[in-house]
């Protein structure tokens, strides 16, 4: 029972830290009309030439000014990227239309290409003011205004891609002309594709599209036009006009032959498309682009998409994840039914993964305490059964709560994955404080009977089951960032399932973690294997303090990856202060009051002065020069660039708080023979560091049917990705490289 008070502190510390976790959004700002990031300046603007009234033209829009070489995306992003999304909050009687997308430009990315915008672009949206719109009354004389709120998300890219978002508010006057941004809206209107009077026609001819448009104006005739399909993943975006595809004129009729995408995923019956003049051919005051919704004839060839060479459960998860992502983005795509056999395999994988989680180094300190507790109750079968059931309940309920929270946050649009809590510096610091307290208690610096009120101690003595339950809770908190074999595919599968089935997988994972102790409680033969109580227990108790302190050292190192050397140093200083306060509380008489008061005051001043260093985030440290030549930072654009150039890519999805990741780095990925194989095959080595929350890495993990690290992927141009196991072996890596 010596640990029961500590375990009660666990839930308090973890809950407090969880409340301090940063929001999922990368960009948070005080709502206003302008949001500035290192890559763009985004502003909510409006234009109401006749005021806000039914039938009057009212325009609002997001104006994005990009830093040089950076770009955002059109409604069809091309070979990679995501379009900007605008979500409006408007007064009753006012409705927002669709974005009137200006004509984009083709942006080459290696051997691929995207459709998007550079420089400054305005994405205008018309507002429809209905006849039942009732404007708010102004206080006193003068015109009133209405509040417009916008939440926008965009992906801004150069060679790397950064997901960003912002919240905007704007008070739009109801009377008079709002002409401050008239020139911007006029320019956006001039960049709008003009509708063609005739729809034109598109014919599928083998692996090519035959496009025919009629009635184009004289200003366009004879000119080379750019082609922009609004349907993504349809044509080979990077194909060059005159080389990979051809176009010709017959009077006002334009025809073109374009190659279909190698991995086409759409087969539309009507193709919305835009054709545009090249920038040197554009004339001020004249249309620059034209739009058509052309019917498609002919038979589409079978669409093919790459599949990862992974387990059947993981392959099924890919389709489920795609459906889940569509649902999260607002598309009415239902989750496909999952085969019962596949779900049963995933349940078994979760159970085995939880069982193997007991062998992970991060779980050893808690499990050693459980063994000590079982030994203390030797010969008491009833106490063993009760302890096993309470521990199992704590583990399973904690897994269900953690899994449910992750599913709920992901359904709400947050980009989270397994182990997300250790991406928060607040949680890491709270756990370091908790394990410091546990280590001090184990080594004998203090006992709760002397440091805590007697009423708390007696309450704990009356409820010993709470000790076992809370030890299960703490085991999950510490174990959850680890990914054991079989866990990765099952957790990735869970993310794409309906909530009930997903939670069953989390419950199976918890049952696997608790199973050895549940069996020990109910099978006398297992319980008899435990040693009898004796003096050795005091020695073991003090010995267990050192794994606790080792865990604290690891957590401080993790915090250093997130908050820098200042954050790690501040945490160490505060932990020393906390230890001193705990020691002071063990003293007696007036000395205890004086010394404890001084230490508490000093700690409060120190926390106010430098405590913010713990919660700050800093840019990841650059890799050492001898390492950076081999390992490069991961980005989706970098993978596309390398594979597009024909170079194989090996991706290490890792995190500082992932103990398995660190073991694999030292034992396998730093092996001289393995590195020689990478060099001989000319494989580019990319490292995706998930120590801090990164929506781009989360999305990449999800696309591979995973929700946590470690994950190792070998991507070969023109072939499906090869996903390796979590416990990475040298022979496995060398065999995968030998197959290139």
């Amino acid at each position: 029972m010596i640990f029961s008070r500590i375990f009660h502190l666990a839930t308090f510390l973890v809950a407090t830290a969880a409340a301090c976790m940063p929001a999922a959004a990368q960009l948070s700002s005080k709502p206003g009309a302008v949001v500035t990031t290192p890559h763009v300046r985004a502003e909510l603007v409006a234009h109401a030439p006749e005021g806000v009234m039914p039938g009057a033209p009212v325009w609002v829009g997001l104006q994005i000014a990009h830093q040089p070489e950076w770009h955002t995306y059109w409604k069809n992003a091309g070979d990679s990227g995501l379009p900007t999304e605008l979500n409006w909050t408007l007064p009753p009687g006012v409705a927002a239309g669709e974005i009137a997308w200006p004509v984009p430009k083709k942006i080459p990315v290696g051997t691929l290409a995207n459709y998007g915008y550079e420089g400054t672009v305005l994405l205008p949206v018309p507002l429809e003011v209905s006849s039942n719109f009732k404007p708010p009354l102004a206080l006193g004389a003068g015109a009133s205004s209405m509040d417009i709120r916008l939440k926008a998300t965009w992906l801004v890219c150069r060679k790397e891609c950064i997901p960003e978002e912002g919240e905007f508010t704007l008070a739009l006057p109801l009377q008079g002309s709002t002409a401050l941004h008239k020139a911007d809206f006029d320019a956006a209107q001039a960049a709008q594709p003009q509708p063609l009077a005739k729809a034109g026609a598109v014919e599928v001819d083998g692996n090519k599209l035959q496009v025919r448009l009629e009635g184009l104006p004289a200003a366009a005739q004879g000119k080379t036009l750019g082609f922009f399909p609004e349907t993504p993943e349809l044509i080979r975006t990077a194909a060059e006009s005159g080389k990979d595809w051809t176009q010709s004129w017959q009077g006002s009729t334009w025809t073109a032959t374009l190659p279909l995408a190698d991995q086409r995923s759409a087969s539309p019956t009507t193709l919305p498309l835009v054709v545009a003049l090249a920038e040197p051919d554009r004339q001020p005051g004249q249309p620059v682009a034209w739009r058509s919704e052309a019917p498609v004839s002919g038979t589409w060839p079978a669409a093919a998409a790459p599949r990862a060479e992974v387990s059947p459960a993981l392959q099924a998860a890919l389709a489920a994840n795609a459906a889940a992502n569509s649902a999260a983005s607002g598309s009415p795509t239902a989750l496909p039914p999952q085969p019962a056999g596949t779900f049963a395999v995933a349940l078994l994988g979760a159970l085995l993964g939880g069982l193997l989680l007991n062998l992970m180094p991060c779980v050893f300190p808690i499990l050693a305490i459980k063994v000590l507790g079982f030994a203390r109750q030797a010969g008491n079968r009833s106490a063993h059964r009760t302890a096993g059931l309470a521990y199992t309940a704590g583990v399973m309920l904690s897994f269900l709560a953690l899994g449910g929270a992750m599913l709920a946050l992901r359904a709400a649009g947050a980009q989270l994955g397994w182990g997300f809590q250790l991406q928060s510096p607040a949680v890491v610091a709270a756990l370091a404080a908790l394990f410091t307290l546990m280590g001090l208690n184990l080594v004998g610096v203090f006992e709760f009977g002397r440091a805590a009120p007697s009423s708390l101690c007696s309450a704990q003595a009356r409820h010993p089951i709470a000790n076992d339950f809370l030890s299960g809770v703490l085991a999950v908190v510490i174990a959850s960032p680890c990914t054991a074999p079989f866990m990765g595919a099952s957790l990735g599968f869970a993310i794409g399932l309906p909530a009930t089935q997903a939670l069953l997988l989390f419950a199976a994972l918890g049952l696997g973690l608790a199973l050895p102790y549940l069996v020990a409680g109910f099978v006398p033969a297992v319980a008899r294997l435990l040693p009898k109580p004796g003096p050795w227990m005091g020695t073991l108790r003090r010995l267990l303090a050192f794994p606790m302190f080792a865990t604290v050292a690891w957590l401080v190192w993790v915090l250093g990856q997130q908050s820098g050397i200042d954050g790690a140093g501040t945490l160490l200083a505060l932990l020393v202060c906390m230890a001193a306060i705990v020691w002071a509380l063990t003293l007696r008489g007036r000395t205890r009051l004086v010394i404890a008061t001084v230490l508490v005051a000093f700690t409060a001043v120190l926390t106010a002065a430098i405590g913010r260093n713990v919660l700050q985030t800093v840019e990841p440290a650059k890799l050492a020069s001898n390492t950076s030549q081999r390992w490069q930072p991961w980005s989706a654009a970098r993978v596309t660039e390398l594979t597009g150039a024909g170079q194989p890519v090996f991706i290490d999805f890792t995190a500082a708080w992932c103990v398995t990741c660190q073991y694999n780095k030292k034992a396998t990925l730093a092996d001289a023979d393995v590195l020689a194989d990478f060099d001989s095959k000319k494989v580019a080595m990319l490292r995706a560091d998930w120590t801090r929350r990164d929506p781009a890495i989360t999305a990449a993990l999800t696309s591979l049917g995973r929700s946590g690290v470690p994950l190792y992927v070998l991507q070969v141009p023109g072939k499906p990705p090869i996903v390796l196991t979590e416990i990475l072996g040298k022979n496995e890596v060398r065999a995968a490289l030998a197959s290139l």
Side-chain angles (χ1 to χ4, degrees):
M1 297 301 299
I2 57 176
F3 310 113
S4 57
R5 290 87 178 175
I6 296 180
F7 285 126
H8 270 270
L9 283 179
T11 51
F12 172 77
L13 285 171
V14 173
T16 301
C20 300
M21 289 179 66
Q26 176 177 347
L27 175 68
S28 60
S29 61
K30 185 177 180 180
V34 178
V35 169
T36 302
T37 77
H39 316 106
V40 305
R41 179 187 184 276
E43 181 179 6
L44 174 59
V45 296
H47 178 46
E50 301 175 14
V52 180
M53 63 184 69
V58 180
W59 288 86
V60 291
L62 184 67
Q63 188 174 59
I64 302 177
H66 305 82
Q67 291 292 335
E69 299 182 6
W70 291 84
H71 61 269
T72 54
Y73 294 93
W74 187 51
K75 61 170 68 176
N76 170 13
D79 288 323
S80 62
L82 292 170
T84 299
E85 294 187 2
L86 308 180
N87 296 295
W88 302 92
T89 300
L90 302 168
V94 181
E98 298 295 326
I99 298 175
W101 294 93
V103 62
K105 66 179 296 185
K106 181 184 286 188
I107 303 172
V109 183
T111 59
L112 305 177
N114 295 327
Y115 300 139
Y117 306 101
E118 297 175 326
T120 299
V121 65
L122 173 62
L123 304 179
V125 174
L127 296 186
E128 181 180 349
V129 183
S130 66
S131 57
N132 59 2
F133 169 65
K134 296 181 179 180
L137 297 177
L139 296 177
S144 59
S145 62
M146 71 174 184
D147 288 336
I148 298 173
R149 298 182 181 274
L150 168 65
K151 182 174 182 180
T153 59
W154 59 89
L155 184 69
V156 58
C157 300
R158 188 174 56 181
K159 291 182 179 179
E160 63 275 24
C161 290
I162 311 295
E164 296 181 340
E165 66 179 33
E167 295 186 3
F168 306 80
T169 61
L170 183 66
L172 182 60
L174 297 177
Q175 300 178 8
S177 172
T178 306
L180 178 62
H181 294 280
K182 179 179 183 300
D184 298 322
F185 280 93
D186 288 346
Q189 179 64 37
Q192 296 298 312
Q194 302 300 306
L196 287 174
K198 297 182 179 181
V202 174
E203 180 182 357
V204 181
D205 182 11
N207 288 319
K208 297 181 179 180
L209 283 187
Q210 305 286 349
V211 181
R212 179 183 178 89
L213 298 178
E214 300 178 359
L216 287 159
Q221 293 174 21
K223 302 293 177 61
T224 299
L225 301 182
F227 181 83
F228 305 95
E230 295 184 5
T231 302
E233 299 181 4
L234 185 68
I235 69 166
R236 196 184 306 160
T237 308
E240 298 181 22
S241 176
K243 179 180 179 182
D244 302 309
W245 65 282
T246 60
Q247 55 180 297
S248 61
W249 287 92
Q250 293 180 348
S252 63
T253 300
W254 179 81
T255 58
T257 302
L258 300 107
L260 292 178
D262 296 330
Q263 300 296 335
R264 178 180 55 82
S265 63
S267 302
T269 56
T270 300
L271 178 59
L273 59 89
V274 172
V275 291
L277 290 169
E279 292 190 17
D281 295 329
R282 299 177 185 180
Q283 300 296 326
Q286 299 295 322
V288 299
W290 298 267
R291 184 179 184 274
S292 172
E293 295 189 7
V296 179
S297 60
T299 302
W300 291 99
R307 301 285 296 272
E309 294 179 6
V310 292
S311 65
L314 180 53
Q315 290 181 358
L318 297 178
N321 284 328
N325 292 338
S326 297
S329 64
S331 302
T333 305
L335 287 172
Q338 301 299 328
T342 300
F343 180 65
V345 171
L347 277 175
L348 179 61
L351 182 67
L352 292 175
L355 191 62
L356 292 173
L357 202 56
N358 288 286
L359 303 178
M360 296 294 105
C362 49
V363 191
F364 282 165
I366 301 302
L367 302 189
I369 289 177
K370 285 305 300 173
V371 172
L372 189 61
F374 266 60
R376 187 173 286 107
Q377 298 170 340
N380 189 339
R381 292 182 57 186
S382 176
H384 278 172
R385 288 194 295 268
T386 302
L389 288 172
Y391 177 75
T392 301
V395 168
M396 293 186 66
L397 289 176
S398 299
F399 263 112
L400 287 172
L402 196 59
M406 189 175 76
L407 291 170
L409 289 170
R410 291 195 66 153
Q415 291 291 321
L416 298 178
W418 193 243
F420 68 93
Q421 67 275 24
L422 285 191
Q423 293 177 329
S424 165
V427 172
V428 174
L431 289 175
L434 173 63
F435 275 82
T436 300
L437 283 176
M438 294 180 67
L440 293 173
N441 176 261
L442 289 169
V443 84
V445 172
F446 76 99
E447 297 290 344
F448 264 98
R450 298 180 62 186
S454 59
S455 59
L456 176 62
C457 298
S458 61
Q460 293 299 323
R462 289 195 300 267
H463 301 286
I465 295 176
N467 177 36
D468 300 297
F469 178 87
L470 289 172
S471 64
V473 174
L474 191 58
V476 172
V477 171
I478 299 303
S480 57
C482 298
T483 302
F486 301 103
M487 272 184 63
S490 293
L491 288 176
F493 190 44
I495 296 303
L497 288 175
T500 302
Q501 291 182 323
L503 291 177
L504 282 175
L505 283 176
F506 285 108
L509 189 61
L511 179 60
L513 178 62
L515 193 58
Y517 307 95
L518 189 63
V519 171
F522 281 84
V523 180
V526 176
R528 283 195 294 268
L529 296 175
L530 297 172
K532 301 298 181 183
W536 64 269
M537 296 175 62
T539 302
L540 178 60
R541 173 190 169 180
R542 289 185 288 274
L543 180 63
L544 289 176
F546 295 98
M548 295 296 170
F549 293 137
T551 303
V552 173
W554 166 63
L555 289 168
V556 171
W557 178 74
V558 170
L559 186 79
Q561 306 299 307
Q562 300 169 332
S563 302
I565 189 65
D566 290 342
T570 299
L571 177 59
L572 284 173
L574 294 178
L575 291 178
V576 170
C577 290
M578 182 187 71
I581 292 172
V582 169
W583 167 78
L585 292 175
T586 65
L587 303 176
R588 296 184 180 276
R590 191 171 181 179
T591 303
R592 169 179 175 171
L593 178 63
V594 173
I595 296 180
T597 301
V598 171
L599 288 174
V600 169
F602 176 77
T603 303
V605 172
L606 187 66
T607 302
I610 63 174
R612 62 182 179 276
N613 292 338
V614 173
L615 301 181
Q616 72 182 356
T617 56
V618 297
E619 289 299 317
K622 299 296 184 182
L623 298 173
S625 58
N626 61 337
T627 303
S628 60
Q629 295 176 359
R630 186 181 300 279
W631 288 100
Q632 306 172 36
W634 173 91
S635 72
R638 182 60 176 158
V639 174
T640 301
E641 179 182 351
L642 290 169
T643 56
Q647 186 173 8
V649 175
F650 180 84
I651 308 172
D652 172 16
F653 290 91
T654 184
W657 38 260
C658 171
V659 178
T660 308
C661 302
Q662 306 311 317
Y663 172 81
N664 289 337
K665 283 182 185 178
K666 302 297 183 184
T668 300
L669 295 180
D671 181 79
D673 292 336
V674 172
L675 294 176
D677 286 351
F678 277 117
D679 292 340
S680 65
K681 297 293 185 178
K682 294 182 172 53
V683 177
M685 302 171 69
L686 306 185
R687 183 157 280 160
D689 191 346
W690 206 40
T691 300
R692 298 180 300 172
R693 192 167 303 153
D694 188 325
I697 295 178
T698 307
L701 290 169
T702 301
S703 69
L704 290 163
R706 298 296 177 94
S707 64
V709 293
L711 179 64
Y712 305 99
V713 180
L714 181 60
Q715 180 70 63
V716 181
K719 295 183 179 180
I722 301 172
V723 178
L724 307 181
T725 59
E726 291 93 342
I727 307 298
L728 197 63
K730 301 175 186 176
N731 292 337
E732 180 185 11
V733 178
R734 300 190 69 183
L737 294 173
S739 66
L740 297 182

